Amino acid sequence: EVLVPRVAQMEKLGLFNRSYVSGFDESPAACENGVRQLFGAIKSKWPSLRTVAVLNWDHMPTDLPVDVWVQIYYLYDASRAEAWLKAGKEQWWYHSIGPGGSKQLNTFIERPLIRTRLLFWLGAGNFGVSGWLYYAVNAWTSRDWAHPKRVIKRINNTAKTDWDPANYVWGPKKPFANGDGYFLYPGPEGPLPSVRLHNICDGLEDIELFRMLPEDKASNLVRRLVRSPTDFSKNPALMESTRRSAAEAVTAMLAG
């Protein structure tokens, strides 16, 4: 009943083919029957309405009524992904607070910026991955939850601001995973992008570049810099030369 008017609205706006129903965020495998019942009912009524679920299960049944399987990127398994894709479905990756290890790729404020970009290079080398999910871009939480963060202000007209970059995602006075859940800042005239967001945009553009090449060629280039979630190079000169090699390969292919 809840979906009926929303589906009708999407159809009226011509957006039905871009719509999806998302649920069961990081639910355990014990919820499989619930996924089958709920998403099965949705697919029965609207067969072409896509269903999306974030599931990090050890075994992913290909007959599950889920069109897009979203998995945290460091748990990727090529054989399971291949079976899923052969069933005519999609796989996306995601990251969030996890992985939190200092040797893994994430988008926290304290991490070297090149890691933000390399996160998407890892996806670029896996052509079966067709999307990337992130849960929020403006989750501005404060140390004192009773007084949420306000619009960012300059201090004495300098480059310094009064913004507290720390995150308090688990409760008051417990800073953790700084930068998690936000890539924008609340500026006086609207949202302000972070340098991390610019690096994400660069990483997405890099994916588009690599995807213009044959998969084996692209994967070999990507592996010059990043080979796994914990095996990567932070050399910016190597990144630039690899991008140039990819661009030259694309140019030659288009000219050829």
Side-chain angles (χ1 to χ4, degrees), residues 171-228:
K173 301 181 180 180
K174 292 182 180 179
F176 176 69
N178 298 330
D180 175 69
Y182 72 88
F183 298 126
L184 299 169
Y185 298 94
E189 298 179 1
L192 299 173
S194 64
V195 178
R196 292 175 298 130
L197 181 59
H198 284 293
N199 272 261
I200 289 172
C201 290
D202 287 339
L204 293 173
E205 290 175 353
D206 292 338
I207 288 179
E208 295 299 318
L209 173 63
F210 287 119
R211 293 288 170 89
M212 295 178 72
L213 294 170
E215 184 171 358
D216 58 343
K217 176 69 173 179
S219 296
N220 288 336
L221 286 171
V222 168
R223 287 180 63 81
R224 292 182 185 178
L225 231 71
V226 58
R227 292 155 291 279
S228 78

Short mmCIF file of all heavy atoms in Angstrom, two decimals, residues 171-228:
data_model
loop_
_atom_site.label_atom_id
_atom_site.label_comp_id
_atom_site.label_asym_id
_atom_site.label_seq_id
_atom_site.Cartn_x
_atom_site.Cartn_y
_atom_site.Cartn_z
N GLY A 171 27.54 8.51 19.77
CA GLY A 171 26.97 9.13 20.94
C GLY A 171 27.79 10.34 21.36
O GLY A 171 28.89 10.57 20.86
N PRO A 172 27.26 11.14 22.28
CA PRO A 172 27.95 12.34 22.74
C PRO A 172 29.34 12.03 23.30
O PRO A 172 29.54 11.04 24.00
CB PRO A 172 27.02 12.87 23.83
CG PRO A 172 25.68 12.32 23.49
CD PRO A 172 25.95 10.97 22.91
N LYS A 173 30.30 12.87 22.95
CA LYS A 173 31.66 12.83 23.50
C LYS A 173 32.41 11.56 23.14
O LYS A 173 33.29 11.12 23.86
CB LYS A 173 31.62 13.01 25.02
CG LYS A 173 30.98 14.32 25.46
CD LYS A 173 30.98 14.49 26.96
CE LYS A 173 30.32 15.80 27.35
NZ LYS A 173 30.29 16.00 28.82
N LYS A 174 32.04 10.95 22.01
CA LYS A 174 32.77 9.76 21.54
C LYS A 174 33.16 9.96 20.08
O LYS A 174 32.54 9.40 19.18
CB LYS A 174 31.91 8.51 21.69
CG LYS A 174 31.64 8.12 23.13
CD LYS A 174 30.83 6.84 23.20
CE LYS A 174 30.55 6.43 24.65
NZ LYS A 174 29.75 5.19 24.72
N PRO A 175 34.18 10.77 19.81
CA PRO A 175 34.59 11.00 18.42
C PRO A 175 35.10 9.72 17.79
O PRO A 175 35.82 8.95 18.40
CB PRO A 175 35.70 12.05 18.54
CG PRO A 175 36.22 11.90 19.93
CD PRO A 175 35.05 11.48 20.77
N PHE A 176 34.70 9.50 16.54
CA PHE A 176 35.11 8.28 15.85
C PHE A 176 34.92 8.44 14.35
O PHE A 176 33.93 9.00 13.91
CB PHE A 176 34.27 7.10 16.35
CG PHE A 176 34.54 5.81 15.64
CD1 PHE A 176 35.75 5.15 15.81
CD2 PHE A 176 33.61 5.26 14.78
CE1 PHE A 176 36.01 3.97 15.16
CE2 PHE A 176 33.86 4.07 14.12
CZ PHE A 176 35.06 3.42 14.31
N ALA A 177 35.87 7.98 13.57
CA ALA A 177 35.76 7.96 12.11
C ALA A 177 35.48 9.34 11.54
O ALA A 177 34.48 9.57 10.86
CB ALA A 177 34.67 6.97 11.68
N ASN A 178 36.37 10.28 11.80
CA ASN A 178 36.15 11.66 11.37
C ASN A 178 36.01 11.76 9.86
O ASN A 178 36.83 11.27 9.11
CB ASN A 178 37.32 12.53 11.83
CG ASN A 178 37.45 12.56 13.34
OD1 ASN A 178 36.46 12.42 14.05
ND2 ASN A 178 38.66 12.71 13.84
N GLY A 179 34.94 12.41 9.44
CA GLY A 179 34.62 12.54 8.02
C GLY A 179 33.61 11.52 7.54
O GLY A 179 33.09 11.64 6.44
N ASP A 180 33.32 10.52 8.36
CA ASP A 180 32.34 9.51 7.96
C ASP A 180 30.97 10.15 7.85
O ASP A 180 30.52 10.87 8.74
CB ASP A 180 32.31 8.39 9.00
CG ASP A 180 31.22 7.37 8.70
OD1 ASP A 180 31.37 6.65 7.70
OD2 ASP A 180 30.24 7.31 9.46
N GLY A 181 30.31 9.88 6.73
CA GLY A 181 28.94 10.37 6.55
C GLY A 181 28.83 11.78 6.04
O GLY A 181 27.72 12.28 5.85
N TYR A 182 29.94 12.46 5.80
CA TYR A 182 29.80 13.78 5.20
C TYR A 182 31.00 14.13 4.32
O TYR A 182 32.14 13.92 4.69
CB TYR A 182 29.56 14.86 6.26
CG TYR A 182 30.74 15.25 7.13
CD1 TYR A 182 31.63 16.24 6.73
CD2 TYR A 182 30.94 14.66 8.38
CE1 TYR A 182 32.69 16.62 7.52
CE2 TYR A 182 32.00 15.03 9.18
CZ TYR A 182 32.87 16.02 8.76
OH TYR A 182 33.93 16.39 9.55
N PHE A 183 30.67 14.62 3.13
CA PHE A 183 31.65 15.13 2.17
C PHE A 183 31.37 16.60 1.84
O PHE A 183 32.08 17.20 1.06
CB PHE A 183 31.62 14.32 0.88
CG PHE A 183 31.97 12.86 1.08
CD1 PHE A 183 31.13 11.86 0.63
CD2 PHE A 183 33.14 12.48 1.74
CE1 PHE A 183 31.44 10.52 0.82
CE2 PHE A 183 33.45 11.15 1.93
CZ PHE A 183 32.60 10.17 1.47
N LEU A 184 30.30 17.13 2.43
CA LEU A 184 29.91 18.52 2.25
C LEU A 184 29.92 19.23 3.59
O LEU A 184 29.82 18.59 4.64
CB LEU A 184 28.51 18.62 1.64
CG LEU A 184 28.28 17.99 0.27
CD1 LEU A 184 26.79 17.95 -0.04
CD2 LEU A 184 29.01 18.77 -0.81
N TYR A 185 30.02 20.57 3.53
CA TYR A 185 29.93 21.39 4.74
C TYR A 185 28.80 22.40 4.56
O TYR A 185 28.55 22.87 3.43
CB TYR A 185 31.25 22.12 4.99
CG TYR A 185 32.42 21.20 5.22
CD1 TYR A 185 33.25 20.81 4.18
CD2 TYR A 185 32.68 20.69 6.50
CE1 TYR A 185 34.32 19.95 4.39
CE2 TYR A 185 33.75 19.83 6.72
CZ TYR A 185 34.56 19.46 5.66
OH TYR A 185 35.61 18.59 5.88
N PRO A 186 28.11 22.78 5.65
CA PRO A 186 27.00 23.73 5.53
C PRO A 186 27.51 25.17 5.44
O PRO A 186 27.75 25.81 6.45
CB PRO A 186 26.20 23.48 6.82
CG PRO A 186 27.23 23.01 7.80
CD PRO A 186 28.24 22.23 7.02
N GLY A 187 27.69 25.67 4.23
CA GLY A 187 28.18 27.02 4.04
C GLY A 187 27.09 28.06 4.19
O GLY A 187 25.90 27.74 4.13
N PRO A 188 27.46 29.32 4.36
CA PRO A 188 26.45 30.39 4.54
C PRO A 188 25.57 30.60 3.31
O PRO A 188 24.48 31.13 3.43
CB PRO A 188 27.31 31.63 4.84
CG PRO A 188 28.67 31.31 4.30
CD PRO A 188 28.83 29.83 4.46
N GLU A 189 26.06 30.19 2.14
CA GLU A 189 25.27 30.37 0.92
C GLU A 189 24.94 29.03 0.26
O GLU A 189 24.59 28.99 -0.92
CB GLU A 189 26.04 31.26 -0.05
CG GLU A 189 26.28 32.67 0.48
CD GLU A 189 27.05 33.54 -0.48
OE1 GLU A 189 27.39 33.04 -1.58
OE2 GLU A 189 27.32 34.70 -0.15
N GLY A 190 25.06 27.96 1.02
CA GLY A 190 24.76 26.64 0.49
C GLY A 190 25.88 25.66 0.77
O GLY A 190 26.88 26.00 1.42
N PRO A 191 25.75 24.42 0.31
CA PRO A 191 26.75 23.38 0.61
C PRO A 191 28.12 23.73 0.04
O PRO A 191 28.24 24.26 -1.07
CB PRO A 191 26.18 22.13 -0.07
CG PRO A 191 24.72 22.42 -0.24
CD PRO A 191 24.62 23.89 -0.46
N LEU A 192 29.16 23.40 0.81
CA LEU A 192 30.54 23.58 0.38
C LEU A 192 31.19 22.21 0.22
O LEU A 192 31.11 21.39 1.13
CB LEU A 192 31.33 24.40 1.41
CG LEU A 192 30.83 25.82 1.69
CD1 LEU A 192 31.62 26.42 2.86
CD2 LEU A 192 30.98 26.69 0.45
N PRO A 193 31.81 21.93 -0.93
CA PRO A 193 32.44 20.61 -1.12
C PRO A 193 33.75 20.48 -0.36
O PRO A 193 34.48 21.46 -0.19
CB PRO A 193 32.67 20.57 -2.63
CG PRO A 193 32.88 22.00 -3.01
CD PRO A 193 31.96 22.79 -2.11
N SER A 194 34.02 19.28 0.10
CA SER A 194 35.30 19.01 0.74
C SER A 194 36.33 18.61 -0.31
O SER A 194 35.98 18.25 -1.44
CB SER A 194 35.15 17.87 1.76
OG SER A 194 34.80 16.67 1.09
N VAL A 195 37.60 18.67 0.06
CA VAL A 195 38.66 18.20 -0.84
C VAL A 195 38.48 16.70 -1.09
O VAL A 195 38.76 16.20 -2.18
CB VAL A 195 40.05 18.50 -0.25
CG1 VAL A 195 41.14 17.97 -1.17
CG2 VAL A 195 40.23 19.99 -0.04
N ARG A 196 37.97 15.99 -0.09
CA ARG A 196 37.71 14.55 -0.27
C ARG A 196 36.67 14.31 -1.36
O ARG A 196 36.79 13.38 -2.15
CB ARG A 196 37.24 13.93 1.06
CG ARG A 196 38.32 13.89 2.12
CD ARG A 196 37.78 13.40 3.45
NE ARG A 196 36.76 14.29 3.98
CZ ARG A 196 35.56 13.90 4.41
NH1 ARG A 196 35.23 12.62 4.37
NH2 ARG A 196 34.70 14.77 4.88
N LEU A 197 35.65 15.17 -1.42
CA LEU A 197 34.62 15.03 -2.46
C LEU A 197 35.23 15.25 -3.84
O LEU A 197 34.89 14.53 -4.79
CB LEU A 197 33.48 16.01 -2.21
CG LEU A 197 32.33 15.95 -3.23
CD1 LEU A 197 31.70 14.57 -3.26
CD2 LEU A 197 31.28 17.01 -2.91
N HIS A 198 36.11 16.22 -3.95
CA HIS A 198 36.78 16.44 -5.24
C HIS A 198 37.60 15.21 -5.64
O HIS A 198 37.65 14.84 -6.82
CB HIS A 198 37.68 17.67 -5.16
CG HIS A 198 36.95 18.97 -5.21
ND1 HIS A 198 36.29 19.40 -6.34
CD2 HIS A 198 36.76 19.94 -4.27
CE1 HIS A 198 35.72 20.58 -6.11
NE2 HIS A 198 35.99 20.93 -4.85
N ASN A 199 38.23 14.55 -4.66
CA ASN A 199 38.99 13.35 -4.96
C ASN A 199 38.08 12.20 -5.36
O ASN A 199 38.44 11.38 -6.23
CB ASN A 199 39.85 12.95 -3.75
CG ASN A 199 41.20 13.62 -3.76
OD1 ASN A 199 42.20 13.03 -4.15
ND2 ASN A 199 41.24 14.86 -3.33
N ILE A 200 36.91 12.12 -4.76
CA ILE A 200 35.93 11.10 -5.17
C ILE A 200 35.51 11.34 -6.61
O ILE A 200 35.43 10.40 -7.41
CB ILE A 200 34.71 11.13 -4.23
CG1 ILE A 200 35.09 10.58 -2.85
CG2 ILE A 200 33.55 10.32 -4.81
CD1 ILE A 200 34.01 10.74 -1.80
N CYS A 201 35.24 12.60 -6.95
CA CYS A 201 34.87 12.92 -8.34
C CYS A 201 35.98 12.52 -9.30
O CYS A 201 35.72 11.95 -10.37
CB CYS A 201 34.57 14.41 -8.47
SG CYS A 201 33.06 14.94 -7.64
N ASP A 202 37.23 12.79 -8.91
CA ASP A 202 38.36 12.39 -9.76
C ASP A 202 38.41 10.86 -9.90
O ASP A 202 38.67 10.33 -10.98
CB ASP A 202 39.67 12.89 -9.16
CG ASP A 202 39.85 14.39 -9.30
OD1 ASP A 202 39.20 14.99 -10.18
OD2 ASP A 202 40.65 14.97 -8.53
N GLY A 203 38.15 10.16 -8.80
CA GLY A 203 38.16 8.70 -8.83
C GLY A 203 37.08 8.15 -9.74
O GLY A 203 37.30 7.17 -10.47
N LEU A 204 35.91 8.76 -9.72
CA LEU A 204 34.81 8.32 -10.60
C LEU A 204 35.14 8.59 -12.07
O LEU A 204 34.82 7.79 -12.95
CB LEU A 204 33.51 9.01 -10.20
CG LEU A 204 32.95 8.63 -8.82
CD1 LEU A 204 31.77 9.50 -8.46
CD2 LEU A 204 32.56 7.15 -8.78
N GLU A 205 35.79 9.72 -12.33
CA GLU A 205 36.21 10.01 -13.70
C GLU A 205 37.28 9.01 -14.16
O GLU A 205 37.31 8.61 -15.32
CB GLU A 205 36.73 11.44 -13.79
CG GLU A 205 35.63 12.48 -13.66
CD GLU A 205 36.17 13.90 -13.64
OE1 GLU A 205 37.41 14.07 -13.60
OE2 GLU A 205 35.36 14.84 -13.67
N ASP A 206 38.14 8.61 -13.22
CA ASP A 206 39.15 7.60 -13.55
C ASP A 206 38.49 6.27 -13.93
O ASP A 206 38.93 5.58 -14.85
CB ASP A 206 40.11 7.39 -12.37
CG ASP A 206 40.99 8.61 -12.11
OD1 ASP A 206 41.17 9.42 -13.03
OD2 ASP A 206 41.47 8.75 -10.96
N ILE A 207 37.42 5.92 -13.20
CA ILE A 207 36.69 4.69 -13.54
C ILE A 207 36.18 4.77 -14.98
O ILE A 207 36.32 3.82 -15.75
CB ILE A 207 35.50 4.47 -12.57
CG1 ILE A 207 36.01 4.04 -11.19
CG2 ILE A 207 34.55 3.40 -13.13
CD1 ILE A 207 34.91 3.83 -10.18
N GLU A 208 35.60 5.92 -15.34
CA GLU A 208 35.08 6.08 -16.70
C GLU A 208 36.20 5.93 -17.73
O GLU A 208 36.00 5.35 -18.81
CB GLU A 208 34.41 7.45 -16.84
CG GLU A 208 33.16 7.62 -15.99
CD GLU A 208 32.08 6.61 -16.35
OE1 GLU A 208 31.88 6.37 -17.56
OE2 GLU A 208 31.45 6.06 -15.44
N LEU A 209 37.37 6.43 -17.40
CA LEU A 209 38.51 6.31 -18.31
C LEU A 209 38.91 4.85 -18.48
O LEU A 209 39.03 4.35 -19.62
CB LEU A 209 39.70 7.12 -17.78
CG LEU A 209 41.03 6.95 -18.53
CD1 LEU A 209 40.90 7.43 -19.98
CD2 LEU A 209 42.14 7.72 -17.80
N PHE A 210 39.09 4.14 -17.39
CA PHE A 210 39.52 2.74 -17.46
C PHE A 210 38.46 1.86 -18.13
O PHE A 210 38.81 0.90 -18.83
CB PHE A 210 39.84 2.21 -16.06
CG PHE A 210 41.13 2.75 -15.50
CD1 PHE A 210 41.13 3.49 -14.32
CD2 PHE A 210 42.34 2.51 -16.13
CE1 PHE A 210 42.31 3.99 -13.80
CE2 PHE A 210 43.53 3.00 -15.61
CZ PHE A 210 43.52 3.75 -14.44
N ARG A 211 37.19 2.18 -17.93
CA ARG A 211 36.13 1.36 -18.51
C ARG A 211 36.03 1.52 -20.03
O ARG A 211 35.28 0.80 -20.68
CB ARG A 211 34.80 1.68 -17.84
CG ARG A 211 34.74 1.28 -16.35
CD ARG A 211 34.65 -0.21 -16.17
NE ARG A 211 34.82 -0.63 -14.79
CZ ARG A 211 33.82 -0.75 -13.91
NH1 ARG A 211 32.59 -0.46 -14.27
NH2 ARG A 211 34.06 -1.16 -12.69
N MET A 212 36.75 2.47 -20.59
CA MET A 212 36.79 2.62 -22.04
C MET A 212 37.76 1.63 -22.67
O MET A 212 37.79 1.49 -23.90
CB MET A 212 37.19 4.05 -22.41
CG MET A 212 36.19 5.11 -22.01
SD MET A 212 36.73 6.80 -22.40
CE MET A 212 36.55 6.77 -24.19
N LEU A 213 38.55 0.95 -21.84
CA LEU A 213 39.54 0.00 -22.33
C LEU A 213 39.05 -1.43 -22.17
O LEU A 213 38.13 -1.70 -21.37
CB LEU A 213 40.84 0.16 -21.53
CG LEU A 213 41.60 1.48 -21.70
CD1 LEU A 213 42.71 1.59 -20.67
CD2 LEU A 213 42.16 1.58 -23.12
N PRO A 214 39.63 -2.37 -22.88
CA PRO A 214 39.33 -3.79 -22.62
C PRO A 214 39.65 -4.12 -21.17
O PRO A 214 40.58 -3.54 -20.57
CB PRO A 214 40.26 -4.53 -23.59
CG PRO A 214 40.55 -3.55 -24.67
CD PRO A 214 40.57 -2.20 -24.01
N GLU A 215 38.91 -5.05 -20.61
CA GLU A 215 39.04 -5.33 -19.18
C GLU A 215 40.45 -5.73 -18.79
O GLU A 215 40.96 -5.28 -17.75
CB GLU A 215 38.05 -6.43 -18.78
CG GLU A 215 38.04 -6.72 -17.30
CD GLU A 215 36.93 -7.66 -16.88
OE1 GLU A 215 36.13 -8.05 -17.75
OE2 GLU A 215 36.85 -7.98 -15.69
N ASP A 216 41.10 -6.60 -19.57
CA ASP A 216 42.44 -7.04 -19.19
C ASP A 216 43.43 -5.89 -19.20
O ASP A 216 44.30 -5.77 -18.32
CB ASP A 216 42.91 -8.19 -20.09
CG ASP A 216 42.92 -7.81 -21.56
OD1 ASP A 216 42.29 -6.80 -21.93
OD2 ASP A 216 43.58 -8.53 -22.35
N LYS A 217 43.33 -5.01 -20.20
CA LYS A 217 44.21 -3.85 -20.28
C LYS A 217 43.99 -2.92 -19.10
O LYS A 217 44.95 -2.46 -18.46
CB LYS A 217 43.95 -3.10 -21.59
CG LYS A 217 44.75 -1.81 -21.77
CD LYS A 217 46.22 -2.07 -21.95
CE LYS A 217 46.96 -0.78 -22.28
NZ LYS A 217 48.43 -1.00 -22.45
N ALA A 218 42.74 -2.64 -18.79
CA ALA A 218 42.42 -1.75 -17.67
C ALA A 218 42.89 -2.33 -16.35
O ALA A 218 43.48 -1.62 -15.52
CB ALA A 218 40.92 -1.49 -17.63
N SER A 219 42.65 -3.62 -16.13
CA SER A 219 43.04 -4.25 -14.88
C SER A 219 44.55 -4.21 -14.68
O SER A 219 45.05 -3.96 -13.57
CB SER A 219 42.54 -5.69 -14.84
OG SER A 219 41.13 -5.73 -14.84
N ASN A 220 45.30 -4.44 -15.74
CA ASN A 220 46.75 -4.39 -15.65
C ASN A 220 47.25 -2.99 -15.29
O ASN A 220 48.19 -2.84 -14.50
CB ASN A 220 47.39 -4.85 -16.97
CG ASN A 220 47.25 -6.34 -17.20
OD1 ASN A 220 47.10 -7.11 -16.26
ND2 ASN A 220 47.28 -6.76 -18.45
N LEU A 221 46.62 -1.98 -15.86
CA LEU A 221 47.01 -0.61 -15.53
C LEU A 221 46.67 -0.27 -14.08
O LEU A 221 47.48 0.32 -13.36
CB LEU A 221 46.32 0.37 -16.48
CG LEU A 221 46.86 0.42 -17.91
CD1 LEU A 221 45.94 1.26 -18.80
CD2 LEU A 221 48.27 0.99 -17.94
N VAL A 222 45.46 -0.63 -13.66
CA VAL A 222 45.04 -0.35 -12.29
C VAL A 222 45.97 -1.00 -11.28
O VAL A 222 46.34 -0.40 -10.26
CB VAL A 222 43.59 -0.81 -12.07
CG1 VAL A 222 43.24 -0.81 -10.58
CG2 VAL A 222 42.62 0.08 -12.83
N ARG A 223 46.40 -2.23 -11.58
CA ARG A 223 47.23 -2.98 -10.65
C ARG A 223 48.63 -2.38 -10.48
O ARG A 223 49.35 -2.76 -9.57
CB ARG A 223 47.33 -4.43 -11.09
CG ARG A 223 46.05 -5.22 -10.85
CD ARG A 223 46.20 -6.67 -11.30
NE ARG A 223 47.23 -7.36 -10.54
CZ ARG A 223 47.05 -7.89 -9.32
NH1 ARG A 223 45.87 -7.80 -8.74
NH2 ARG A 223 48.03 -8.50 -8.70
N ARG A 224 48.98 -1.44 -11.32
CA ARG A 224 50.24 -0.73 -11.08
C ARG A 224 50.18 0.01 -9.75
O ARG A 224 51.19 0.21 -9.09
CB ARG A 224 50.51 0.29 -12.19
CG ARG A 224 50.82 -0.28 -13.56
CD ARG A 224 51.12 0.87 -14.51
NE ARG A 224 51.34 0.44 -15.87
CZ ARG A 224 51.57 1.28 -16.89
NH1 ARG A 224 51.62 2.59 -16.66
NH2 ARG A 224 51.75 0.80 -18.10
N LEU A 225 48.96 0.44 -9.39
CA LEU A 225 48.80 1.27 -8.20
C LEU A 225 48.08 0.57 -7.05
O LEU A 225 48.45 0.72 -5.90
CB LEU A 225 48.05 2.55 -8.57
CG LEU A 225 48.72 3.84 -8.10
CD1 LEU A 225 49.97 4.08 -8.93
CD2 LEU A 225 47.78 5.03 -8.24
N VAL A 226 47.01 -0.16 -7.39
CA VAL A 226 46.22 -0.78 -6.32
C VAL A 226 45.87 -2.22 -6.71
O VAL A 226 45.38 -2.47 -7.80
CB VAL A 226 44.94 0.05 -6.02
CG1 VAL A 226 44.08 0.21 -7.25
CG2 VAL A 226 44.14 -0.58 -4.89
N ARG A 227 46.16 -3.14 -5.79
CA ARG A 227 45.98 -4.57 -6.07
C ARG A 227 44.97 -5.22 -5.13
O ARG A 227 44.39 -6.25 -5.43
CB ARG A 227 47.35 -5.27 -5.98
CG ARG A 227 48.28 -4.85 -7.12
CD ARG A 227 49.74 -5.02 -6.76
NE ARG A 227 50.17 -4.06 -5.75
CZ ARG A 227 50.51 -2.79 -6.00
NH1 ARG A 227 50.46 -2.32 -7.24
NH2 ARG A 227 50.90 -1.99 -5.03
N SER A 228 44.77 -4.63 -3.98
CA SER A 228 43.80 -5.14 -3.01
C SER A 228 43.48 -4.02 -2.03
O SER A 228 44.13 -2.96 -2.07
CB SER A 228 44.38 -6.36 -2.26
OG SER A 228 45.30 -5.94 -1.26
#
